[in-house]
Amino acid sequence: MPRSLPYLLLLPATLFLCVFFLYPFVLVAIDAFTRNGAWTTENFTRMTGHWKFGTTFWNTMLLAAVVVPIQLVMALTMASVVTKLDRGRSTILYIFAIPLGISDLAAGLVWLTIFEQSGFLNSMLTGFGVLDKPVLFLGYQNPWAIFIAIVLAEVWRATAIMMVIIVAGMGLIPKEYGEAAEVFGASRWQRFTRVTLPMLKPSLQTALILRVILAFEVFAVVAALGGTNFPVLMGETYHWQFAMQERGVAAAYAMVILGISIAFTLVLLRLLHVPKGART
Amino acid sequence: MTDTSNAPDAIRRSGRWVFVTGVTLLCLWVLVPIYLLMVNALSAPAEVTAFPKRFWPSFDTASLEFFFGFRGVVDALWNSVKVAAVTMVLAIGLGAPAGYALSRFDFPGKEAFRFLVIMTRAFPLPLLALPLAVMFIRTGLDDTILGLALVHATLALPFAVLITFSLFSGIPLELEEAAWTLGCTRVQAFIKVVLPLAAPGIAASAVFAFVISWNEVFAAAVLTIENRTLTAFLLQSLDVSPLHLKFAGGAALVIPALLFIFAVRKYLFAMWGIANR
């Protein structure tokens, strides 16, 4: 009995993940490479042949490339600030963590209140006399305004998850290291870059992998703010699946998202490699 | 902190001032957009589309009444709750035993299981909904609460495993061993000693699973047609719905989120501390 006990405990979760995680991925791969039961790459040629594909792909990459570094810096700042607090720490932490519970759709709607034509940004700018009349920020004439709005909403929403992981990671770093560095005359900045950052590698790895993958999945924020004026991969996947009823092409999009997610995960695992012995 | 008079203190105080300003700005960065959404949700429809906008609410509930009176909204809200509740039960029911096994036993295959769980992180899981849509039609699970909850549970399960693993690891094995020597069976020891200690943390991870499901948009939109969740409902009516409906809907999504995060705030960081590995 005792020997089989751990397996019995793992069995339900393992079965579940096999049925609802591994199996569907085999299916989606098959969907992507077949059409009416025959093996073909037609789905991929249709996907890449569509005029929107290039824009969609580069929009998604550009968004990730802009959003993730900003979030990393902000999350590190928030985490360091929080560790220095002595009063009100839990309140500030709660406030910083709030966006963790907010969906991307809700975040998109939150920022829509600011950027829509009769929204708060226009109200403020005309109030200060910067503008004479409200500007349509989120129209197709202003792709950069849409991009900026999406970046702000994404940074606003998803920095919290990185912050939480980094705060948790900082809590695991023994105080003695920093104190020793201080004794040897290291400045605050040196202590941060030479002691804290290297010790944070495992947390940074987790945070970055999660965030980068979520950045490729960006969907509802874009739907709420940009509509179809700023196409991204996940939105196109949805569009092909739902509006065009083209499962194969949607699956091909899924494979693209999957491919770049895995590629970036591997790169991050390699870049922030943590030697096994260094784990505590 | 309140010491006065000499120079280093003056520098420290100005440093302190910069620090406090920074913290305040960061808090405002998080809170002000939520406040503005609430202003819209708590104003009359005419004020929501009016220009220029006032920066405080008129506390007119017409927008909210319109939202809750809108056909399908109450059902969608209720569907969201049901799906999230089923997700929560599935994720914890399947995840907690696995977390316990990982924290208490060394056995061949442990690394393989951990690899399976960690792997889920490298995949954009909502995409699972695409092939499952077909599978569900075949099995009659399409457009059902359970069908969507199964996908959401795939999203939440890895987190539930890692979080409960960290919770159980935090409870010393010696406590359980003491109970065994006092004549408890393994199951009794678990129920009487481990479970009471782990219960609040398990509740927190259950809330976390609830939030994951509550917020999910893509799978919900792909897998439901009649029984839409609130997120799917709002997404599908984005193009056509008036602004005050969108903002009231946004508020209906945000307010539970505030409460959920408040409920688990104590555990948020402890949960992630070990879940990192």
Coordinates of all heavy atoms in Angstrom, one line a residue, chain B residues 246-277:
Chain B
K246 N -20.8 48.4 -21.7 CA -19.4 47.9 -21.6 C -18.8 48.2 -20.2 O -18.2 47.4 -19.5 CB -18.5 48.5 -22.6 CG -18.8 48.1 -24.0 CD -17.8 48.7 -24.9 CE -18.2 48.7 -26.4 NZ -17.2 49.3 -27.3
F247 N -19.0 49.5 -19.8 CA -18.4 49.9 -18.5 C -19.0 49.3 -17.3 O -18.3 48.9 -16.4 CB -18.4 51.4 -18.4 CG -17.5 52.1 -19.5 CD1 -17.9 53.3 -20.1 CD2 -16.4 51.5 -19.9 CE1 -17.1 53.9 -21.1 CE2 -15.6 52.0 -20.9 CZ -16.0 53.2 -21.5
A248 N -20.4 49.2 -17.3 CA -21.0 48.5 -16.2 C -20.5 47.0 -16.2 O -20.3 46.5 -15.1 CB -22.5 48.5 -16.4
G249 N -20.4 46.4 -17.4 CA -19.9 45.0 -17.4 C -18.5 45.0 -16.9 O -18.1 44.0 -16.2
G250 N -17.6 45.9 -17.3 CA -16.3 46.0 -16.8 C -16.3 46.0 -15.2 O -15.5 45.3 -14.6
A251 N -17.1 46.9 -14.7 CA -17.2 47.0 -13.2 C -17.6 45.7 -12.6 O -17.1 45.2 -11.6 CB -18.1 48.1 -12.8
A252 N -18.6 45.0 -13.3 CA -19.0 43.7 -12.7 C -17.9 42.7 -12.7 O -17.9 41.7 -11.9 CB -20.2 43.2 -13.5
L253 N -17.0 42.8 -13.7 CA -15.8 41.9 -13.7 C -14.8 42.3 -12.6 O -14.1 41.4 -12.1 CB -15.2 41.9 -15.1 CG -15.9 41.1 -16.2 CD1 -15.1 41.4 -17.5 CD2 -15.9 39.6 -15.9
V254 N -14.6 43.6 -12.4 CA -13.5 44.1 -11.6 C -13.8 43.9 -10.1 O -13.0 43.5 -9.3 CB -13.2 45.5 -11.9 CG1 -12.3 46.2 -10.8 CG2 -12.5 45.6 -13.3
I255 N -15.1 44.2 -9.7 CA -15.3 44.2 -8.3 C -15.1 42.9 -7.6 O -14.4 42.8 -6.6 CB -16.8 44.8 -8.0 CG1 -16.7 46.2 -8.4 CG2 -17.2 44.6 -6.5 CD1 -17.8 47.1 -8.0
P256 N -15.6 41.7 -8.2 CA -15.2 40.5 -7.5 C -13.7 40.2 -7.5 O -13.2 39.7 -6.5 CB -15.9 39.4 -8.5 CG -16.9 40.2 -9.2 CD -16.4 41.6 -9.3
A257 N -13.0 40.7 -8.5 CA -11.6 40.5 -8.5 C -10.9 41.2 -7.3 O -10.0 40.7 -6.7 CB -11.0 41.1 -9.8
L258 N -11.4 42.4 -7.0 CA -10.9 43.2 -5.9 C -11.0 42.3 -4.6 O -10.1 42.2 -3.8 CB -11.6 44.5 -5.7 CG -11.4 45.5 -6.8 CD1 -12.2 46.8 -6.5 CD2 -9.9 45.9 -7.0
L259 N -12.2 41.8 -4.5 CA -12.6 41.0 -3.3 C -11.7 39.7 -3.2 O -11.2 39.3 -2.1 CB -14.0 40.6 -3.2 CG -15.0 41.8 -3.2 CD1 -16.4 41.4 -3.3 CD2 -14.8 42.7 -2.0
F260 N -11.6 39.0 -4.4 CA -10.8 37.8 -4.4 C -9.4 38.0 -3.9 O -8.8 37.3 -3.1 CB -10.8 37.1 -5.8 CG -12.1 36.7 -6.3 CD1 -12.5 36.8 -7.6 CD2 -13.1 36.2 -5.4 CE1 -13.7 36.4 -8.1 CE2 -14.3 35.8 -5.8 CZ -14.6 35.9 -7.2
I261 N -8.8 39.0 -4.5 CA -7.4 39.3 -4.2 C -7.2 39.7 -2.7 O -6.3 39.3 -2.0 CB -6.8 40.3 -5.2 CG1 -6.8 39.8 -6.6 CG2 -5.3 40.7 -4.8 CD1 -5.9 38.6 -6.8
F262 N -8.2 40.4 -2.3 CA -8.2 40.8 -0.8 C -8.3 39.6 0.0 O -7.6 39.5 1.0 CB -9.4 41.8 -0.5 CG -9.3 42.3 0.9 CD1 -8.4 43.3 1.2 CD2 -10.2 41.8 1.9 CE1 -8.4 43.8 2.5 CE2 -10.1 42.3 3.1 CZ -9.2 43.3 3.4
A263 N -9.1 38.6 -0.4 CA -9.3 37.4 0.4 C -8.0 36.6 0.5 O -7.8 35.9 1.5 CB -10.4 36.5 -0.1
V264 N -7.2 36.5 -0.6 CA -6.0 35.7 -0.6 C -4.7 36.5 -0.3 O -3.7 35.9 -0.5 CB -5.9 34.9 -1.9 CG1 -7.1 34.0 -2.1 CG2 -5.7 35.8 -3.1
R265 N -4.9 37.7 0.0 CA -3.7 38.6 0.0 C -2.5 38.0 0.9 O -1.4 38.1 0.6 CB -4.0 40.0 0.5 CG -4.4 40.1 1.9 CD -5.2 41.5 2.1 NE -5.5 41.6 3.5 CZ -6.5 40.9 4.1 NH1 -7.2 40.0 3.5 NH2 -6.7 41.1 5.4
K266 N -2.9 37.4 2.0 CA -1.9 36.9 2.9 C -1.1 35.7 2.3 O 0.0 35.5 2.6 CB -2.6 36.3 4.2 CG -2.6 37.2 5.4 CD -3.0 36.4 6.6 CE -3.8 37.2 7.6 NZ -4.7 36.4 8.4
Y267 N -1.8 35.0 1.5 CA -1.2 33.8 0.9 C -0.5 34.0 -0.4 O 0.3 33.1 -0.8 CB -2.2 32.7 0.8 CG -2.7 32.2 2.1 CD1 -3.8 32.8 2.7 CD2 -2.1 31.2 2.8 CE1 -4.3 32.5 4.0 CE2 -2.5 30.9 4.1 CZ -3.6 31.5 4.6 OH -4.0 31.1 5.9
L268 N -0.8 35.1 -1.0 CA -0.3 35.4 -2.4 C 1.2 35.1 -2.5 O 1.6 34.4 -3.4 CB -0.6 36.8 -2.7 CG -1.2 37.1 -4.1 CD1 -2.2 36.2 -4.6 CD2 -1.7 38.5 -4.1
F269 N 1.9 35.6 -1.6 CA 3.4 35.6 -1.7 C 3.9 34.3 -1.2 O 4.8 33.7 -1.9 CB 4.0 36.8 -1.0 CG 3.5 38.1 -1.6 CD1 2.3 38.7 -1.1 CD2 4.0 38.6 -2.7 CE1 1.8 39.8 -1.7 CE2 3.5 39.7 -3.3 CZ 2.4 40.3 -2.8
A270 N 3.4 33.8 -0.1 CA 3.8 32.5 0.3 C 3.6 31.4 -0.7 O 4.4 30.6 -1.0 CB 3.1 32.1 1.6
M271 N 2.4 31.5 -1.4 CA 2.0 30.6 -2.4 C 3.0 30.6 -3.6 O 3.4 29.5 -4.1 CB 0.7 30.9 -3.0 CG -0.5 30.5 -2.1 SD -2.1 30.5 -2.9 CE -2.2 32.0 -3.7
W272 N 3.5 31.8 -3.9 CA 4.4 31.9 -5.1 C 5.8 31.5 -4.7 O 6.6 31.2 -5.6 CB 4.3 33.2 -5.7 CG 3.1 33.3 -6.6 CD1 1.9 33.9 -6.3 CD2 3.1 32.8 -7.9 NE1 1.1 33.7 -7.4 CE2 1.8 33.0 -8.4 CE3 3.9 32.1 -8.8 CZ2 1.3 32.6 -9.6 CZ3 3.5 31.7 -10.0 CH2 2.2 32.0 -10.4
G273 N 6.2 31.7 -3.4 CA 7.6 31.5 -3.0 C 8.1 30.2 -3.5 O 9.2 30.1 -4.1
I274 N 7.4 29.1 -3.2 CA 7.9 27.8 -3.6 C 7.4 27.4 -4.9 O 8.0 26.6 -5.6 CB 7.6 26.8 -2.5 CG1 8.1 27.3 -1.1 CG2 8.2 25.4 -2.7 CD1 7.8 26.5 0.1
A275 N 6.2 27.9 -5.3 CA 5.6 27.5 -6.6 C 6.5 27.9 -7.7 O 6.3 27.5 -8.9 CB 4.2 28.2 -6.7
N276 N 7.5 28.8 -7.4 CA 8.5 29.2 -8.4 C 9.3 28.1 -9.1 O 9.7 28.2 -10.2 CB 9.5 30.1 -7.8 CG 9.1 31.5 -7.8 OD1 8.1 31.8 -8.5 ND2 9.7 32.3 -7.0
R277 N 9.6 27.1 -8.2 CA 10.5 26.0 -8.7 C 9.9 25.3 -9.9 O 8.8 24.9 -9.8 CB 10.8 25.0 -7.6 CG 11.3 25.7 -6.3 CD 12.5 26.4 -6.5 NE 12.6 27.7 -5.9 CZ 13.2 27.8 -4.7 NH1 13.7 26.8 -4.1 NH2 13.3 29.0 -4.2

